[in-house]
Amino acid sequence: MTDFNQIPLRPDLKGQVPYGAPQINVPVALNVNENTFGIPEVVALEIIQRLAAEVIGLNRYPDREFMQLRGKLADYLGFGLAPEQLWAANGSNEILLQAFQAFGGPSSSAISFGPTYSMYPNIARISLTPYEEFEREADFELSADYVAEKIRDSNPGIVLLCSPNNPTGTPISLAVIEAAYQAFDGILIVDEAYAEFSAEESALSLLSGRPRLMISRTMSKAFAFAGARVGYVAADATAIDALRIVRLPYHLSSLTQAAALAALSFSELLLENVAQIKGQRDRIIQQVTKMGLRAFRSDSNFVLVEGFQDSNEVFEKLLERGVLIRNVGIPNTLRFTAGTESETTKLLAELAIMLD
């Protein structure tokens, strides 16, 4: 078998490994912030019917501009958005990659505030965009003055703000987003993958009159649609047109479009589980605090917990008991996705036994 030294791999990719969390078959998987409630049967049947209708025409390319889907996404988000202000792709990661292809590159630069979503530096690397990550303030929070200062000092082409932040769960206020936008002349991307779980007002309320602001969303989390790979972004129509320049032809398949349209037609039903997930999130926070651990403020569907002497040991012991969680590499911490009531009970019971 050959290795990377025997093929002309890009020099900056040598020594790199593919991104990915462990995919292990366990009874309770709470490691990648999926919505473990799943798809209701009535929604599943609607998806199947729409997919079946599309299969007959799979010899033809999909609708390249998918205006029907963009219209449904605009209706779902509200705020008076027009279909031309929406764009979709195969997960929000592809949305971010397209944004970096359009606005980044070797002559630009990007910054964020870490710890944050680990795909940001990967997307920057893939797009040959210089990337820097500034440390967050105490308890992983961000203030308007701090963010604006770092942006002015670095003068990047792209700023990424994740709200609520992954992996810490920390929300970002509109005041911070406004200060960030005013601090430079580049593209500000607010990653709202977990927005449906947050009590903070969405950055969508700031879009009007801000042509350099882009709000990225996903159907993976609140919609329980991770396997369908549907991400989308709201922005000024001109910024959306920039993404259309770099997109691959027919990048969103007919089947993906059909499945997304079916899910959006049942958005209220699919989002009914959000309240239950938030309840289990708060339950985790309360119970781990009673165990003598520290849970950081979370506005997402997961909780970052601190206080483990050996995070790897706790991770392995939970895995042995059929519970898969995530070690995100922050010392003495582990991240727990809020699952169903029974999944959360299993997690908390096993954790309590280990810490007793």
Side-chain angles (χ1 to χ4, degrees):
M1 182 176 176
T2 58
D3 59 36
F4 285 151
N5 292 321
Q6 296 170 277
I7 58 176
L9 182 68
R10 239 170 59 188
D12 61 298
L13 295 181
K14 290 183 177 179
Q16 302 292 335
V17 295
Y19 170 87
Q23 290 186 308
I24 303 172
N25 186 18
V26 293
V28 180
L30 302 173
N31 65 320
V32 287
N33 304 335
E34 295 162 321
N35 182 334
T36 63
F37 282 80
I39 300 288
E41 183 178 355
V42 64
V43 184
L45 290 174
E46 177 67 17
I47 292 171
I48 291 169
Q49 290 176 4
R50 296 208 187 196
L51 292 179
E54 288 296 329
V55 167
I56 298 172
L58 284 182
N59 59 309
R60 301 296 186 183
Y61 285 112
D63 179 357
R64 186 176 55 231
E65 300 300 329
F66 50 92
M67 292 304 297
Q68 184 182 7
L69 176 57
R70 291 161 72 181
K72 290 295 185 182
L73 288 168
D75 291 343
Y76 166 67
L77 291 179
F79 293 95
L81 292 170
E84 291 78 13
Q85 292 180 267
L86 271 294
W87 187 246
N90 296 284
S92 58
N93 285 330
E94 186 175 35
I95 290 290
L96 296 175
L97 178 58
Q98 290 176 349
F100 269 66
Q101 289 172 320
F103 303 108
S107 62
S108 183
S109 64
I111 70 166
S112 191
F113 297 83
T116 191
Y117 185 33
S118 57
M119 271 301 294
Y120 294 161
N122 287 338
I123 290 169
R125 184 187 69 227
I126 293 167
S127 61
L128 299 177
T129 307
Y131 175 82
E132 185 175 6
E133 210 163 88
F134 294 103
E135 186 176 358
R136 285 173 165 259
E137 297 177 272
D139 299 330
F140 307 118
E141 301 283 346
L142 287 176
S143 65
D145 289 343
Y146 178 78
V147 168
E149 177 187 359
K150 295 301 182 184
I151 293 174
R152 283 193 294 265
D153 289 346
S154 55
N155 192 30
I158 299 173
V159 173
L160 288 157
L161 295 177
C162 189
S163 180
N165 184 52
N166 181 12
T168 65
T170 321
I172 297 175
S173 70
L174 293 184
V176 172
I177 295 169
E178 288 183 284
Y181 188 86
Q182 295 168 5
F184 77 134
D185 295 323
I187 293 292
L188 174 60
I189 303 173
V190 181
D191 183 352
E192 290 191 343
Y194 301 92
E196 285 89 351
F197 303 100
S198 178
E200 287 285 345
E201 186 175 358
S202 170
L204 292 165
S205 63
L206 301 177
L207 259 183
S208 180
R210 293 181 174 86
R212 297 178 289 104
L213 177 61
M214 308 183 80
I215 293 95
S216 173
R217 290 284 193 99
T218 183
M219 294 182 70
S220 293
K221 310 303 180 182
F223 277 82
F225 228 51
R229 310 306 301 128
V230 182
Y232 57 102
V233 63
D236 183 89
T238 302
I240 297 299
D241 283 344
L243 302 188
R244 293 174 61 241
I245 292 172
V246 300
R247 62 97 189 273
L248 293 174
Y250 312 105
H251 72 289
L252 207 61
S253 79
S254 299
L255 300 180
T256 300
Q257 293 179 43
L261 285 167
L264 286 166
S265 69
F266 284 93
S267 60
E268 290 186 7
L269 175 61
L270 285 169
L271 296 180
E272 283 181 359
N273 288 327
V274 167
Q276 295 188 62
I277 294 169
K278 290 165 65 175
Q280 296 307 313
R281 174 198 67 196
D282 295 342
R283 179 185 172 203
I284 292 172
I285 293 172
Q286 294 167 2
Q287 293 302 311
V288 298
T289 302
K290 292 179 181 179
M291 296 178 196
L293 302 168
R294 181 190 182 193
F296 289 95
R297 184 166 77 107
S298 176
D299 243 17
S300 189
N301 70 333
F302 58 85
V303 181
L304 184 68
V305 179
E306 184 182 54
F308 303 103
Q309 291 186 352
D310 190 333
S311 299
N312 284 328
E313 182 181 3
V314 175
F315 173 91
E316 293 295 340
K317 286 184 176 180
L318 283 173
L319 184 57
E320 289 173 4
R321 292 161 171 80
V323 181
L324 178 61
I325 47 86
R326 188 75 176 268
N327 185 348
V328 295
I330 303 173
N332 308 115
T333 71
L334 291 168
R335 192 189 69 190
F336 305 143
T337 301
T340 62
E341 182 177 1
S342 62
E343 289 172 330
T344 304
T345 297
K346 171 71 170 175
L347 165 67
L348 293 172
E350 298 293 353
L351 190 61
I353 292 171
M354 282 192 298
L355 298 176
D356 188 15

